[in-house]
Amino acid sequence: MAVICFDECKDDAAQGRPWYIVGGILIDMQNVMAVENLVSDVATDIFGSRELVRDTEFHGKEIYNAKAAFKGMPIADRIAIFDRLLEIIANDDLVRRVYAAVKTDKLKLYDRAPRYAFAHFVERAQMALRVAEMGLLIGDLDDQQSRQMVADFAQFRATGTPWDYGRPVTQIAGSVNFVRSHHSRLMQLADVYVFTVANQYAPRTGYAGDELKKVIQTRNPYAHRYKRWEPD
């Protein structure tokens, strides 16, 4: 059994990113505690606490922009946090990485972007599972799309993903489960991973952006499975 923790990054025209991204990490159940402990070790060094509360939460956007718990933290220290978290994310012995990106400026119906990205992500997540391995989907409870995801996933399991050549979803059990991100170190890792994927579609500029790019290139958290979809 593998847990599949996922998050989303909405498209942002102002940043030159017309891509809606759903991405996440797959972790074997027997490795969950090891990965959680690795992230909690980083939290202990940064916050002096392993407690799962909002003030010890890792969010890619907040780390980069020095918001919330990272307010006033020097750029070098924040980039070092990315480096430590990406070291964990890029560990192929512990983590598998998956994402789907949908180009929104080519969609006839823009409001379908979340559903399409989620469907492509579910397909790729299942492809990342081993033969006969089952997965369990876990998303962010604060996600505005959570109710729709539950309904969509039920349909995917019943009739397959919504394309002419859609795939039956047979290796992901139950429904979509949700947890608040500050209650889960794995969800926080998924958030940071999706943040770095989005940065590859619209790289941030300036000194901080250049330093982040170096860390991403060094750690190389490549996707084991991904879908980049540009509608015709």
Side-chain angles (χ1 to χ4, degrees):
M1 173 72 79
V3 294
I4 306 167
C5 296
F6 69 94
D7 205 351
E8 66 171 1
C9 182
K10 298 178 178 64
D11 57 310
D12 189 337
Q15 286 193 6
R17 191 185 67 247
W19 295 90
Y20 195 107
I21 299 167
V22 176
I25 55 176
L26 283 70
I27 301 172
D28 291 344
M29 193 64 73
Q30 64 265 29
N31 292 329
V32 165
M33 187 170 291
V35 175
E36 287 179 337
N37 284 335
L38 288 171
V39 184
S40 291
D41 289 345
V42 181
T44 300
D45 292 343
I46 302 302
F47 306 115
S49 173
R50 303 172 78 86
E51 193 175 4
L52 289 169
V53 294
R54 182 68 180 92
D55 290 341
T56 66
E57 181 178 9
F58 294 112
H59 263 298
K61 192 172 183 179
E62 291 177 354
I63 299 170
Y64 185 82
N65 292 316
K67 300 293 185 180
F70 308 95
K71 186 175 182 179
M73 188 178 291
I75 291 175
D77 292 347
R78 288 183 279 120
I79 295 299
I81 294 173
F82 275 114
D83 185 48
R84 293 187 65 180
L85 295 177
L86 284 173
E87 181 180 14
I88 300 168
I89 292 168
N91 186 332
D92 290 339
D93 292 331
L94 296 175
V95 179
R96 283 169 275 173
R97 300 166 294 277
V98 178
Y99 78 84
V102 172
K103 202 163 194 296
T104 54
D105 59 359
K106 290 190 175 183
L107 283 176
K108 294 179 181 178
L109 298 173
Y110 172 79
D111 61 356
R112 297 285 181 89
R115 185 170 191 252
Y116 291 156
F118 180 57
H120 281 302
F121 171 76
V122 169
E123 287 184 347
R124 266 54 194 178
Q126 180 166 263
M127 292 168 66
L129 293 168
R130 303 180 185 94
V131 175
E133 182 181 27
M134 296 298 295
L136 188 68
L137 279 173
I138 303 176
D140 188 346
L141 184 60
D142 296 327
D143 192 329
Q144 295 177 352
Q145 298 292 330
S146 57
R147 289 186 180 181
Q148 187 62 49
M149 286 176 176
V150 170
D152 287 343
F153 183 68
Q155 183 177 341
F156 302 161
R157 291 197 67 198
T159 61
T161 44
W163 338 104
D164 290 340
Y165 300 97
R167 299 172 181 269
V169 178
T170 59
Q171 288 183 251
I172 302 178
S175 181
V176 187
N177 304 275
F178 292 95
V179 62
R180 295 195 185 281
S181 58
H182 64 269
H183 291 160
S184 170
R185 294 299 183 195
L186 302 186
M187 281 302 308
Q188 293 166 38
L189 273 190
D191 173 278
V192 171
Y193 173 61
V194 173
F195 180 86
T196 61
V197 171
N199 192 71
Q200 294 177 65
Y201 279 79
R204 286 164 170 79
T205 58
Y207 175 75
D210 291 342
E211 292 301 299
L212 176 61
K213 184 178 179 181
K214 290 177 185 177
V215 168
I216 294 172
Q217 290 176 335
T218 299
R219 293 302 180 188
N220 190 25
Y222 62 87
H224 292 89
R225 295 284 185 176
Y226 74 95
K227 177 68 175 182
R228 176 186 172 113
W229 186 48
E230 299 187 47
D232 296 330

